[in-house]
Structures are given as C-alpha cells and as structure tokens.
Amino acid sequence: MATAGKVIKCRAAVAWEPNAPLVIEEIEVGPPHEGEIRIKIVASSLCHTEMFHLFEGKDKRGFPTVLGHEGAGVVESVGPGVPDFKPGDKVIPSSVAHCGECRFCKSPKTNLCERSWVNYHVDLMSYPTTRFTCRGQPILQFTSTGTFSEYIVINQIYVVKIDDDAPLDRVCLLGCGVTTGYGAAVNTAGVTPGSVCAVFGLGAVGLAAVMGCKNAGASRIFAVDINEQKFEKAKVFGATDFLNPKAYDKPISEVLAELTNGGVDFSLECVGNPEVSRAALESCIKGWGVSVLVGYTDVDFSARPIQLISGKTWKGTLVGGYKIKDSLPKLVNDYMTGKIMLDEFITHRMDLEQINDAINLMKTGQCIRCILNISK
C-alpha cells in the first residue's frame, strides 16, 4: 500500500486523563518495526475493561492512552520478520498474546503467554512503548491494542488472521467480551450436560456465558441481575430462570440454594465486583460446585475458607481460556455457521465521534454492545 513505511496521520479517541471525556484527536501512527503489523481498524466495541480503567483504575501512569481492545480490521503493512500476514488480510487484534514458543503457550493447561504485557505492565494496562504520538507526546495503546484509532501497530503475537468473508463489524466482538464469557462456561467452568448454572451479571460477557452454558447442555440456567430489563435478552441466549437479588430479603445465594436443593453446579461472576464474586461462590453446591471469576477488577476479595474446604472450586479465566491463534478462527467460523450468536449482542451502532455517548450508555446500563465505526 502507498502508506507502507510511512507515518500515518489519523483520527483516534484519546483518554488524556481518568474520569474525563475522550477527545477526538489527529494522531501519528508510526510504521511497524520488527515483528509488528499495522492494521486499519474498521470496527470496534466498548468493553467493561475500558470503563474500569477510565473510571475505577488507580494508576494515572496509564494515561494518556487510546482505549479499545474489541476491534477488527485489515492489515495495512507489516514489518520485517512477519511471515504469516500480508496487506489485505482480515484480522482480529487481541489483548492476549500467543507467541507459541514459551512454556505457557506450549502447555495445554493455560492460555497465558510469557511475552504478554500483562506480566510486566499491568499497572499501565499497556506496554510503555507505543507507535502512537499526539501533540508531540507518546500516547499509550490500551492492552497493547488501542482500537479506538483508525490505525494501530501491534506485535504479531497478538494478531489473528480470520476468514476473508467474516463481517468485521460483528466478529470484532470476539476480540474479548463474547469470547471471555463463552469460554468461561465451556472451557474454564467445564459446564456439563444436565447441570444447573447461574450467571451473575447480564452484560455482553454474562450473556455470552449464558450462551456457553446452553451450548454445553445445561438443563437450567439462572440469569441474575439487578436490572430486570436484561432478562428478555438473557432468554434469547438460553436462560431459563431470572432472579433480581434486590427482590429478596435474604442473600441471593440462599435463594438459589432453596431453588436448587443446595446450590448450583456452576456459577459465573461476570460483573467484576468482589461482593458478587463471593455471592456466586456461596451459590454453588458443596462437594463439587465450581465458581468462575470472569468480570475484570483489580481490588481485593475474600471468602470464608469453609466454602473451599467443603469441596467447592473457585477460579478465574482470561479471555475464556482460549489460545487465540488456535481458537479465534474457529469461533469466527462458528458464528458464520450459526453455532454461536453475535448479532444479538449489538444494541447500538455509532461513529467514533460519538464515543462519549457510547460510554454513557454503558455506564447507565442501557447498552449491551455498541459497535463503533472506526474508519470512514
């Protein structure tokens, strides 16, 4: 392409500081270096992790930054040492690395990667080095991606090539939220046919967990949320029962225990709230109940040791346990063949200039997923 090897000037939504509106700026995006790919982002969604960093994160060193990590686009150019990608390839950039060479990548037990930014710079939620600049200063790329920019530069270990026919304004959802919730159920929890499940929180991640429970053969799926307007949407994805914790004068764990003869087999916490995490664990049946922390947060949490001594398992998941290079192309194919849903998550579509409106919709619980048109 004509822009290969050159600095590209483009639009991006910059978060200059926490708790402040994003600003549409013209930024400079440098050419890719060794092992890197420059991608034209076509579409991106807004995820709870951006909301946490913008409004709840404690470390101001993570600013200024370009947020966004649920995007999809087309390769514009590649740097030296990138044999598997070429200009024109449709791709999903991921915030999770998969180098394929480290001890974690070679292990079937995890989808972690030793080369991931998470291992070294979780305080910044980004690598300290970046190919973005604006007003003469470097701008971080959130979770190594920064998909609220028309162009990004990212290491090839974070990029997945997908089917040429895949609709980018839908499969971008597989970059994080849907993959995380769905995999939390089918991989991390290991939901079994005939089991009883409870999903706490009915945002996109929670609804994807509901879908995973259904596709894994669960016989009963409790959808738990304080916003009852989300129950109809949960029914679309397979939920069978609906509970609003505020409608009861007792803990929701006790309500679930009464309804299920002791507790659910699997619970998934998709909020990122330590109190909800504890309630999800306490909702599991003793002996074999499994509870999974799915929603992102970085604050302390606690539980009574007897909950685990009694035989329950409490664990977490990162992007649903999927190794991205192996699994994302398969999930794209599953969508294109009707095995999983994506369109049903989309409640709004907006242009990049409306990013602050999208953030407000997410903050107020009026939105499941908003697709942002990034490149004109």
Side-chain angles (χ1 to χ4, degrees), residues 303-316:
R304 293 167 55 220
I306 190 62
Q307 292 289 324
L308 304 182
I309 293 171
S310 67
K312 299 180 184 182
T313 300
W314 206 11
K315 53 185 176 178

Side-chain angles (χ1 to χ4, degrees), residues 68 77 80 114 167 215 217 228 259 270 272 296 309 324 327 349 357 360:
S77 61
E114 284 189 325
N215 286 2
E228 295 186 9
L259 292 171
C270 302
Y296 180 83
I309 293 171
I324 60 162
S327 300
R349 290 183 178 273
D357 295 330
N360 186 60

Side-chain angles (χ1 to χ4, degrees), residues 270-291:
C270 302
V271 179
N273 180 297
E275 293 182 3
V276 180
S277 298
R278 181 167 180 166
L281 174 67
E282 293 174 349
S283 298
C284 286
I285 192 166
K286 62 184 179 182
W288 61 77
V290 175
S291 187

Side-chain angles (χ1 to χ4, degrees), residues 122-169:
V122 71
D123 51 345
L124 301 180
M125 293 294 287
S126 169
Y127 284 119
T129 56
T130 174
R131 302 286 173 253
F132 289 170
T133 56
C134 183
R135 303 185 192 177
Q137 69 178 99
I139 306 295
L140 298 175
Q141 294 180 231
F142 184 69
T143 68
S144 83
T145 50
T147 57
F148 295 164
S149 170
E150 291 180 297
Y151 288 87
I152 69 170
V153 175
I154 186 171
N155 193 288
Q156 62 185 328
I157 65 175
Y158 294 95
V159 183
V160 181
K161 183 179 178 180
I162 60 173
D163 193 303
D164 287 339
D165 294 327
L168 298 177
D169 64 340

Side-chain angles (χ1 to χ4, degrees), residues 152-348:
I152 69 170
V153 175
I154 186 171
N155 193 288
Q156 62 185 328
I157 65 175
Y158 294 95
V159 183
V160 181
K161 183 179 178 180
I162 60 173
D163 193 303
D164 287 339
D165 294 327
L168 298 177
D169 64 340
R170 294 169 179 80
V171 299
C172 62
L173 295 176
L174 294 172
C176 181
V178 173
T179 301
T180 296
Y182 189 76
V186 300
N187 296 330
T188 311
V191 172
T192 53
S195 59
V196 177
C197 303
V199 175
F200 291 74
L202 300 176
V205 175
L207 293 173
V210 169
M211 179 171 66
C213 292
K214 179 185 178 183
N215 286 2
S219 63
R220 199 174 183 189
I221 304 168
F222 287 88
V224 184
D225 202 295
I226 59 174
N227 184 352
E228 295 186 9
Q229 293 181 355
K230 295 182 177 181
F231 290 167
E232 280 301 313
K233 180 68 77 169
K235 186 182 296 184
V236 171
F237 289 96
T240 59
D241 299 79
F242 309 91
L243 300 175
N244 179 353
K246 290 189 173 182
Y248 300 91
D249 58 2
K250 63 180 70 174
I252 194 64
S253 57
E254 293 183 17
V255 175
L256 280 164
E258 292 173 0
L259 292 171
T260 59
N261 191 27
V264 299
D265 300 303
F266 301 96
S267 69
L268 300 104
E269 192 278 347
C270 302
V271 179
N273 180 297
E275 293 182 3
V276 180
S277 298
R278 181 167 180 166
L281 174 67
E282 293 174 349
S283 298
C284 286
I285 192 166
K286 62 184 179 182
W288 61 77
V290 175
S291 187
V292 181
L293 301 176
V294 190
Y296 180 83
T297 188
D298 192 27
V299 298
D300 292 340
F301 64 100
S302 63
R304 293 167 55 220
I306 190 62
Q307 292 289 324
L308 304 182
I309 293 171
S310 67
K312 299 180 184 182
T313 300
W314 206 11
K315 53 185 176 178
T317 189
L318 177 68
V319 193
Y322 285 111
K323 291 181 182 290
I324 60 162
K325 298 275 191 178
D326 300 331
S327 300
L328 283 190
K330 296 177 182 177
L331 288 171
V332 169
N333 184 68
D334 284 347
Y335 163 67
M336 296 177 70
T337 56
K339 294 180 181 178
I340 63 172
M341 292 182 277
L342 290 180
D343 300 59
E344 291 79 3
F345 289 95
I346 302 169
T347 54
H348 298 78

Side-chain angles (χ1 to χ4, degrees), residues 5-55:
K6 302 176 183 178
V7 172
I8 291 177
K9 292 184 178 181
C10 69
R11 297 175 308 139
V14 178
W16 287 102
E17 58 185 342
N19 294 298
L22 306 192
V23 181
I24 302 299
E25 302 274 13
E26 181 181 80
I27 70 169
E28 295 82 41
V29 182
H33 291 201
E34 177 80 25
E36 294 180 339
I37 301 171
R38 188 158 60 184
I39 302 168
K40 180 178 183 178
I41 299 298
V42 173
S44 183
S45 182
L46 179 66
C47 178
H48 172 262
T49 312
E50 274 93 31
M51 307 296 285
F52 177 85
H53 185 69
L54 190 60
F55 298 111

